[in-house]
Amino acid sequence: MKKFYNVAILGATGAVGRTMIKVLEERDFPIDQIKLLASPRSAGQELEYYGMKYKVEPVSPEAFEDVDIALFSAGGSTSKQWAPIAVEKGAVVVDNSSAWRMDENVPLVVPEVNPEDVKWHKGIIANPNCSTIQMVVALNPIHKAKKIKRIIVSTYQAVSGAGAKAIKDLEEETRARLEGKYYYPEALPAHIAFNVIPHIDVFQDNLYTKEEMKMVNETRKIMHAPDIKISATCARVPVFNGHSESVTVETEEPITVEEARKLLSEAPGVVVEDDPFNNVYPMPIEVDGKDDVFVGRIREDLAFDNGLSMWVVADNLRKGAATNAVQIAELLIKYDLIKK
Ligand code: A2P
């Protein structure tokens, strides 16, 4: 008999939380009861699930009573505070923040790459950083066939990755500038309209940002490849939704463009859109609302001997966050890892 589960979303009012509600609906996730949780600021606000209105509740220990699966997207400090409580109440937490990702007791999972890692969870499973998810989905098939030694990546990240306030910042600053007015973003470190900001998350002692180091460390953990050398530059661009990445890899064995196209077109969760002479390549505006990772501009790299370059685009709110989290929850059900 099919089982149904009680699911809570912490951060339901946020950009990712709202997408989680949509993705659960679309994938017909077997839900008995859904609970929408946020901060006390949002208590009483209503959100729709399957056309029905649900009141948002302020998070509390009691809110996790009888919850089987808790999807968290409410930032790192909220997760640090509430994930152990949710686990104590019997829920399995799938957490979208960076709070637990590098904890050696917490699996970090991208279902197309390391699904089996969910099996050793101890209550919390971490959802990787959005830019990391789309990159590893595209690179894992190449790594398995030709062993990647080195990755150089530059990202062009949408404002939705910085949350609902950053989306408002882009909208308001664009409008203000076109009207000759001044606006300074609230959620971003610099002007975003008609600009590019080479700064996401905080700077570290090594002069890389935390976002860039997430791409380095999380990729190694997910791909079980501690020796891959990775260098990342992450930039915020004035795009509402959909992250783009220029990725170059050096492989141990040579790889041709044709081989790469074949590997990628057979890979789960990847769509190859690569016909440059007909202007076919993935772009954020076109991947908005889609769950796959799109790859184009596949070409031999001119700087490395066994080098391959490509352009990787995905909806960061979906595959980079909500969809990946719901896929992890589906794996928990598939492997019968939820106590009922
Ligand atoms: P709220 O809307 O009540 O502030 P985003 O990343 O789009 O800004 O969304 C962040 C989400 O995390 C929102 O749903 C927000 O709720 C929630 N959140 C932020 N801080 C807390 C907190 N301390 N406790 C519970 N939820 C929080």
Side-chain angles (χ1 to χ4, degrees):
M1 203 178 74
K2 189 171 179 184
K3 288 186 192 158
F4 291 85
Y5 300 86
N6 294 339
V7 174
I9 300 177
L10 175 58
T13 52
V16 172
R18 286 168 190 267
T19 311
M20 282 172 167
I21 299 173
K22 264 194 257 171
V23 172
L24 287 168
E25 270 182 25
E26 286 167 10
R27 297 176 78 94
D28 206 11
F29 195 87
I31 294 185
D32 184 4
Q33 289 178 43
I34 192 161
K35 266 190 195 180
L36 305 179
L37 309 175
S39 79
R41 293 179 290 272
S42 302
Q45 195 179 320
E46 287 183 329
L47 293 172
E48 277 194 20
Y49 171 67
Y50 272 119
M52 304 242 298
K53 287 197 161 65
Y54 285 79
K55 275 213 161 49
V56 176
E57 296 174 40
V59 62
S60 69
E62 299 71 46
F64 294 106
E65 220 74 73
D66 293 327
V67 168
D68 302 306
I69 302 168
L71 304 176
F72 275 35
S73 187
S77 56
T78 309
S79 177
K80 277 272 183 218
Q81 182 185 354
W82 291 101
I85 295 170
V87 172
E88 219 240 336
K89 295 279 179 190
V92 179
V93 172
V94 181
D95 180 49
N96 195 51
S97 80
S98 61
W100 307 97
R101 290 181 190 148
M102 296 313 295
D103 186 320
E104 56 186 32
N105 292 309
V106 174
L108 182 66
V109 176
V110 176
E112 291 84 349
V113 179
N114 60 335
E116 301 280 317
D117 280 342
V118 292
K119 291 184 177 167
W120 56 268
H121 86 82
K122 298 178 174 63
I124 304 174
I125 298 167
N127 206 38
N129 164 265
C130 43
S131 297
T132 308
I133 293 177
Q134 69 184 70
M135 184 172 82
V136 297
V137 169
L139 293 189
N140 193 55
I142 292 167
H143 181 59
K144 276 170 113 181
K146 304 287 177 179
K147 198 155 193 301
I148 293 174
K149 292 199 308 196
R150 200 186 302 270
I151 303 170
I152 296 170
V153 53
S154 298
T155 70
Y156 305 69
Q157 298 182 217
V159 292
S160 60
K165 280 195 189 127
I167 298 174
K168 183 174 151 271
D169 277 341
L170 175 57
E171 199 175 314
E172 305 228 327
E173 192 182 11
T174 305
R175 190 173 296 118
R177 283 200 174 239
L178 289 173
E179 290 170 357
K181 295 181 187 148
Y182 183 83
Y183 178 95
Y184 199 84
E186 280 175 41
L188 296 165
H191 289 292
I192 185 65
F194 310 103
N195 200 18
V196 173
I197 311 172
H199 174 187
I200 301 181
D201 212 330
V202 292
F203 279 98
Q204 314 281 283
D205 288 344
N206 66 358
L207 304 181
Y208 284 79
T209 61
K210 199 168 163 200
E211 182 84 352
E212 290 160 353
M213 294 314 295
K214 285 177 204 166
M215 293 194 78
V216 174
N217 298 320
E218 294 179 19
T219 298
R220 291 177 176 152
K221 180 169 174 177
I222 300 160
M223 289 177 47
H224 301 164
D227 299 329
I228 293 189
K229 290 192 163 60
I230 307 170
S231 179
T233 304
C234 294
R236 188 78 65 193
V237 294
V239 165
F240 281 111
N241 192 37
H243 289 353
S244 306
E245 297 176 347
S246 160
V247 186
T248 295
V249 297
E250 185 189 16
T251 49
E252 210 151 277
E253 293 174 36
I255 180 164
T256 65
V257 169
E258 283 320 309
E259 280 177 301
R261 280 202 186 127
K262 184 162 187 298
L263 284 169
L264 287 166
S265 54
E266 289 166 359
V270 178
V271 175
V272 175
E273 281 185 352
D274 194 20
D275 184 4
F277 295 109
N278 286 306
N279 297 358
V280 174
Y281 30 72
M283 288 180 283
I285 242 172
E286 276 152 19
V287 311
D288 188 35
K290 297 185 182 161
D291 288 313
D292 289 310
V293 172
F294 294 77
V295 185
R297 298 290 323 275
I298 302 167
R299 60 208 191 276
E300 243 174 63
D301 187 74
L302 299 178
F304 292 116
D305 284 341
N306 292 340
L308 191 76
S309 289
M310 67 191 85
W311 180 247
V312 181
V313 186
D315 181 329
N316 51 291
L317 291 180
R318 282 183 170 257
K319 185 56 193 164
T323 303
N324 200 72
V326 174
Q327 285 176 312
I328 292 173
E330 288 170 348
L331 283 178
L332 290 168
I333 295 175
K334 179 177 163 191
Y335 296 140
D336 203 14
L337 296 171
I338 311 249
K339 292 170 249 136
K340 282 292 277 180

